[in-house]
Amino acid sequence: MGNRLVRVLSQARKNKRKLFCAYVTLGYPSLRQTESLALTLQNAGTDILELGFPFSDPLADGPTIQYASEQSIKKGTHFEDSFRVMRRLRREGLHIPVLFFSYFNPIHHYGVDAFVRKSRYAGLDGAIIPDLPPDEARSLEERFHKAGLSLVYLVAPTTERTRMKHIAKRSNGFVYYVSLRGVTGARRAVPADLTERLRLLKRQTSKAILVGFGVSHPGQVRSIARNADGIVVGSAIIDRLRRGKGIRAVGSYVSRLVRALNPK
Amino acid sequence: MKKTGHRKDKWVFGPDTHGHFGIYGGRFVPETLIHALNELAEAYHAVRRNQSFKKELSHYLATYAGRPTPLYFARNLSQSLGRNLNVYLKREDLCHTGAHKINNTIGQGLLARYLGKNRIIAETGAGQHGVASATAARLLKLSCDVYMGTEDMKRQALNVYKMKLLGARVIPVTSGSKTLKDATNEAIRDWVTHVDSTHYLLGSAVGPHPYPAMVRDFQLVIGREARAQIRRCQRSKVDVLIACVGGGSNAIGFFYPFLKDRVKLIGVEAAGEGLHTKHHAASLRKGSLGVLHGMKSLVLQDRDGQIQLAHSISAGLDYPSVGPEHAFLKQTGRAQYETATDADALRGFHALTQLEGIIPALEPAHAVGYLIKSARRFKKGSTVMICLSGRGDKDLDVVRRAEHHLGRMI
């Protein structure tokens, strides 16, 4: 099975390139702008896109993504819009892998089978579900696997070594390492135990490790990239949109991070 | 479904080791919390059989919380209902802090101390659980932060003041609907951030495993006492139990010791302005399978899987989901779930106040209101026990305003 994500990961490994993964909230500031944002991010050097479906109760998210989700829901973003936007984006030339980011309830309510079918059709490559640990995901994982979709699991700072290994084994594509104890949102510093934790995780798996939560500055990016295969940036992008910066400004911000990630 | 219970009253119907009650329950939380939940489950498992822990808990329940609470034969109410019904009230309203919540907060407070965590956080809607948490925190010398929606803070200003007097920090929640659901989200976010030093003292039989089972076990003292007390009364056999259900902690604690008996169990949900409207909190009757706050249960949600707002005149029932064990008891048919509207609850409130001189909280007033509404459907001469989970002082303002709004009910 080779979806876009798997291809991009193996290519990056061959070329020793670090990966940049960007998160956007579907429908924030609007569905139309989500589309142009996605294309801009691709042009700025984004390797993987996380398309976030807004949920009413995002308990792993900080104020920034909570705000974006709330606004998007208020504007009437529906679950079906995810597929519609995604199909249009593929037609408009979005070729990077896209992971659907959603809390479990909307997917569960839509129906896992229907979700898998539509995702493939729309050109999604997999999903990240922050409140679905592998223990509860057996049947969903099987159905994803059959359809060639990747289900990416998260490893946290509190995850014990044996469980790390187990999660990494079951994670499909890469392993998402949550850099800190807490919710999403831009922070200035890098957690003190990050290097040590990443080294520990690296010993448990040969899969790519991407680090997310709290990443927003080129300095952070450089220091994280030494021990990881890539980074995930979300709240910092939304923050810029919220502060009224245009999509083009977001694009140049992301280019800066990408350059920090892969200097030369 | 795995039957692990060999001792009476213990884990009769589960959950299994992963916290599933049939298809309900489980653990749907960010990975960061898994370790803390494992640790909590282990610690809880250990202390349940630990003699000194049990001794300390029952010592505080007896000398501090005021247990056992009396079982009261409501003669006047029984007579007014006719049909020779005998109605008993399990007087949880006489507990310290005025509701059954203290049973759980002392239990979990002791557990937090056992875990070496010196800070507790809690969510609260009406403020009852917040006050009970702040109280237990004083008793056990823990620091305590309570998350409360700004909407609820306005409605329950007195309880906010009480918590502050008790030395708790009340943290206003302005996200989402600014009520219990969002206070719970914020408490979970806090817990994710401070998981090493903090115990999340969840107030109802909801949330990820082991909370639903653990809170139930701390509350089943209600049913265990009631079961022994009714046996000592002249009419030894009880036919029906009635309790109100929001998250469902008083109901599950009341029902649980009776699960194996031939007793009808009725949980009463808040129908708010009516089940035909959007303003209710009847997740068992009108909800669908979903995932919220770490558990799979019945949830009020829209077609996109977004959680809907619940409504009830009583802030304690104002929750868009319900404990997984109730969903399971409903599915298996062991318990049945009915509803009472805001107006039914007010009727129950006044009836109990005027007939018995007991001012109930609006939550159990739903149970009383349901009984009044459907007394005709009960078999003649039945013995009915109601869990009177709290007293009504906190609701007087709400009742006064509602009277003004709805006109006289009685």
Side-chain angles (χ1 to χ4, degrees):
Chain A
M1 88 93 280
N3 60 37
R4 295 175 197 82
L5 179 66
V6 176
R7 282 199 296 275
V8 162
L9 287 168
S10 75
Q11 237 162 44
R13 169 151 303 182
K14 225 174 13 200
N15 306 337
K16 298 214 160 94
R17 248 176 51 77
K18 306 281 179 184
L19 293 164
F20 185 86
C21 175
Y23 167 95
V24 296
T25 298
L26 178 74
Y28 181 77
S30 70
L31 286 174
R32 172 102 357 126
Q33 292 188 69
T34 300
E35 283 179 33
S36 52
L37 184 60
L39 294 166
T40 305
L41 288 170
Q42 173 172 277
N43 292 337
T46 298
D47 300 287
I48 302 165
L49 185 71
E50 259 183 60
L51 185 64
F53 181 71
F55 181 47
S56 55
D57 295 79
L59 48 82
D61 284 305
T64 305
I65 294 177
Q66 282 175 44
Y67 173 81
S69 305
E70 216 171 285
Q71 294 301 313
S72 172
I73 293 170
K74 252 189 216 153
K75 284 205 168 162
T77 302
H78 293 296
F79 201 75
E80 290 282 354
D81 291 328
S82 326
F83 307 120
R84 208 171 304 134
V85 165
M86 205 43 229
R87 281 199 62 199
R88 239 188 340 246
L89 277 170
R90 288 295 183 215
R91 274 205 304 271
E92 286 166 18
L94 187 80
H95 56 79
I96 57 174
V98 180
L99 294 171
F100 191 66
F101 176 100
S102 169
Y103 287 84
F104 188 41
N105 196 54
I107 294 176
H108 178 266
H109 191 67
Y110 191 76
V112 171
D113 285 320
F115 173 74
V116 165
R117 209 171 44 241
K118 289 268 194 160
S119 292
R120 271 185 59 163
Y121 179 63
L124 284 163
D125 301 285
I128 300 177
I129 310 173
D131 61 345
L132 187 70
D135 325 66
E136 297 283 355
R138 277 274 176 219
S139 80
L140 183 125
E141 199 180 299
E142 265 168 40
R143 279 180 268 188
F144 265 56
H145 190 76
K146 265 188 211 148
L149 296 172
S150 295
L151 184 61
V152 174
Y153 288 120
L154 298 93
V155 168
T158 51
T159 309
E160 284 167 346
R161 196 183 62 83
T162 46
R163 186 174 164 85
M164 254 185 190
K165 191 167 189 155
H166 174 74
I167 294 176
K169 198 171 148 197
R170 286 189 43 194
S171 190
N172 196 289
F174 61 90
V175 183
Y176 188 133
Y177 183 74
V178 177
S179 74
L180 46 83
R181 292 164 172 73
V183 291
T184 60
R187 321 280 208 278
R188 291 212 82 90
V190 172
D193 64 344
L194 184 66
T195 306
E196 191 194 325
R197 294 285 300 172
L198 283 172
R199 286 193 183 139
L200 179 66
L201 177 57
K202 197 151 240 174
R203 283 201 294 276
Q204 318 305 321
T205 182
S206 59
K207 286 179 187 153
I209 300 166
L210 268 66
V211 177
F213 282 49
V215 186
S216 66
H217 287 275
Q220 281 175 314
V221 170
R222 273 189 290 272
S223 100
I224 293 171
R226 280 198 283 275
N227 296 297
D229 303 293
I231 55 158
V232 187
V233 176
S235 298
I237 291 172
I238 309 280
D239 264 336
R240 277 170 178 73
L241 293 171
R242 191 177 171 182
R243 276 189 267 134
K245 305 239 169 162
I247 286 174
R248 205 187 292 169
V250 172
S252 62
Y253 164 68
V254 166
S255 313
R256 244 181 302 142
L257 293 183
V258 171
R259 275 200 300 277
L261 194 61
N262 287 304
K264 270 177 286 184
Chain B
M1 176 177 92
K2 197 160 139 192
K3 289 197 180 182
T4 45
H6 44 276
R7 264 164 61 198
K8 220 199 249 168
D9 291 356
K10 291 273 180 187
W11 304 77
V12 182
F13 287 93
D16 68 11
T17 48
H18 297 288
H20 295 117
F21 300 88
I23 61 166
Y24 306 104
R27 260 184 201 169
F28 297 84
V29 293
E31 175 63 26
T32 310
L33 294 180
I34 295 285
H35 176 71
L37 290 170
N38 281 336
E39 195 182 63
L40 182 62
E42 261 167 50
Y44 178 57
H45 196 66
V47 299
R48 277 171 67 225
R49 278 162 303 174
N50 180 324
Q51 285 307 320
S52 74
F53 181 92
K54 287 207 290 198
K55 216 185 240 171
E56 198 175 7
L57 178 58
S58 48
H59 167 76
Y60 282 130
L61 288 181
T63 62
Y64 187 77
R67 303 210 72 89
T69 58
L71 183 70
Y72 167 68
F73 175 54
R75 186 181 307 276
N76 303 336
L77 177 66
S78 304
Q79 276 170 1
S80 85
L81 292 170
R83 303 185 62 81
N84 293 324
L85 294 183
N86 300 295
V87 182
Y88 287 83
L89 305 175
K90 178 62 178 161
R91 299 288 308 274
E92 292 301 300
D93 59 318
L94 295 176
C95 284
H96 181 41
T97 70
H100 71 291
K101 295 286 184 191
I102 193 85
N103 304 330
N104 173 45
T105 57
I106 292 179
Q108 283 196 49
L110 285 172
L111 194 57
R113 229 174 47 180
Y114 178 92
L115 283 163
K117 298 187 170 179
N118 50 24
R119 174 178 180 251
I120 56 171
I121 52 171
E123 82 296 335
T124 197
Q128 288 306 100
H129 174 57
V131 169
S133 298
T135 304
R138 283 298 94 181
L139 174 71
L140 303 170
K141 295 186 183 159
L142 304 164
S143 81
C144 175
D145 289 347
V146 180
Y147 286 90
M148 190 170 187
T150 48
E151 209 42 54
D152 289 333
M153 285 175 77
K154 249 187 279 168
R155 288 192 283 193
Q156 303 284 345
L158 197 64
N159 271 341
V160 175
Y161 186 55
K162 257 192 212 171
M163 285 183 266
K164 286 180 179 163
L165 286 176
L166 287 162
R169 196 156 61 112
V170 181
I171 304 174
V173 175
T174 53
S175 58
S177 62
K178 305 175 179 64
T179 59
L180 177 60
K181 167 179 87 83
D182 304 279
T184 308
N185 291 336
E186 278 308 321
I188 295 174
R189 288 181 189 123
D190 180 315
W191 199 34
V192 174
T193 312
H194 304 103
V195 63
D196 300 327
S197 62
T198 299
H199 173 68
Y200 178 22
L201 209 170
L202 227 174
S204 193
V206 299
H209 179 64
Y211 282 105
M214 182 173 74
V215 175
R216 172 198 73 199
D217 288 357
F218 284 134
Q219 292 294 2
L220 63 77
V221 62
I222 305 172
R224 203 182 277 161
E225 282 176 13
R227 195 163 177 269
Q229 286 164 327
I230 195 78
R231 278 190 173 170
R232 266 181 260 127
C233 290
Q234 72 279 25
R235 288 175 207 80
S236 59
K237 210 180 141 329
V238 58
D239 302 293
V240 186
L241 299 187
I242 307 178
C244 62
V245 179
S249 70
N250 89 85
I252 203 70
F254 189 44
F255 291 169
Y256 199 75
F258 292 90
L259 283 183
K260 284 182 170 174
D261 299 352
R262 289 190 50 176
V263 179
K264 195 164 164 184
L265 309 173
I266 302 177
V268 182
E269 291 189 289
E273 292 167 15
L275 291 185
H276 58 283
T277 70
K278 277 190 166 180
H279 306 284
H280 62 75
S283 31
L284 284 158
R285 286 290 293 270
K286 295 295 240 181
S288 54
L289 192 62
V291 172
L292 178 68
H293 294 149
M295 63 177 170
K296 194 181 267 189
S297 186
L298 294 168
V299 177
L300 298 176
Q301 54 190 327
D302 70 10
R303 70 186 172 98
D304 290 312
Q306 308 290 6
I307 308 304
Q308 279 179 322
L309 297 188
H311 167 86
S312 168
I313 190 169
S314 82
L317 303 182
D318 202 340
Y319 184 65
S321 185
V322 66
E325 195 163 9
H326 283 294
F328 179 64
L329 289 177
K330 181 192 177 208
Q331 189 195 37
T332 55
R334 179 62 191 93
Q336 78 184 63
Y337 293 88
E338 305 290 341
T339 59
T341 61
D342 289 351
D344 294 332
L346 285 170
R347 217 168 280 131
F349 177 91
H350 287 295
L352 208 58
T353 304
Q354 289 174 9
L355 292 168
E356 301 290 350
I358 297 172
I359 301 180
L362 281 173
E363 290 82 8
H366 282 75
V368 179
Y370 166 76
L371 176 64
I372 294 172
K373 177 171 75 171
S374 9
R376 245 172 297 153
R377 285 197 267 150
F378 285 77
K379 223 171 82 191
K380 267 189 185 162
S382 306
T383 298
V384 178
M385 245 198 300
I386 294 179
C387 182
L388 199 67
S389 57
R391 65 169 183 237
D393 309 42
K394 69 180 173 72
D395 292 322
L396 297 183
D397 263 352
V398 178
V399 172
R400 189 161 45 194
R401 257 176 285 147
E403 295 299 81
H404 183 69
H405 190 64
L406 293 169
R408 291 289 298 163
M409 299 304 310
I410 280 204

